[in-house]
Amino acid sequence: MNGVWDAQRRALGSFIRDQRRLARLSLRQLSALSHISNPYLSQVERGLHVPSVRVLSAIADALDLSAETLLEQAGLVREQAGPRPGPGSRGETGDDRAVERAVRADRRLSQAQKEALIAVYRSYVESASPPEHAPDLGTRR
C-alpha cells in the first residue's frame, strides 16, 4: 500500500508542476499567489509531502483550477461513479461523465470557460432527453 501512496504523491506533485508551468508561473510566483512557502511547494512538486486540503485549495485557486481537480489528483476524492441528477434530468451516463472529464482536463481553457462549457453541455443533454413519465403518444389514437 505504501507504494501506491508514494506513486499518488509523486503524480500529484507532477500534476501541480505541470499546471504551474502551463500557467507560466515560477515556483516563487506560485508561492506568492498561494501564500504557501517556496520550499514547501518545491517539496510538494517533488512528491516529498502530501499537502493538506487547505494547501491544495490555495494551490488550486492560484492556478485557476477547481479544488476538486487537485483533490482527485491527490486521491482524496474519487470521481463520482453514480449519476448526478439535475433538475429535469434523468442522470448522467458514462458518456456524459467522459465529456465532462475531457473538458475539465483541457489545459487550454480557464476554469470559468470549463464550467460554462459543462453547463451548456448539460443543458443540451437535458433538453434532448425525453421526460421520465412522458406518455407514448405514438400508440394512442
Side-chain angles (χ1 to χ4, degrees), residues 40-91:
Y40 185 72
L41 273 176
S42 174
Q43 292 173 349
V44 168
E45 283 191 358
R46 289 181 288 142
L48 300 176
H49 286 285
V50 178
S52 68
V53 172
R54 183 194 68 78
V55 169
L56 285 175
S57 181
I59 292 170
D61 286 345
L63 292 173
D64 195 28
L65 296 170
S66 71
E68 180 183 54
T69 299
L70 284 186
L71 291 171
E72 284 176 6
Q73 287 293 320
L76 296 173
V77 172
R78 289 201 172 107
E79 182 181 339
Q80 286 184 306
R84 288 179 270 167
S89 165
R90 295 175 68 179

Side-chain angles (χ1 to χ4, degrees), residues 82-139:
R84 288 179 270 167
S89 165
R90 295 175 68 179
E92 292 181 352
T93 67
D95 290 340
D96 295 340
R97 289 188 300 273
V99 169
E100 290 185 23
R101 269 195 311 272
V103 169
R104 284 189 183 100
D106 193 323
R107 296 175 177 170
R108 298 168 295 178
L109 302 173
S110 71
Q111 189 61 30
Q113 290 170 323
K114 292 174 186 181
E115 290 172 13
L117 277 172
I118 290 170
V120 169
Y121 174 74
R122 286 179 179 170
S123 73
Y124 281 135
V125 169
E126 288 173 9
S127 68
S129 299
E132 285 187 45
H133 300 292
D136 185 2
L137 300 177
T139 60

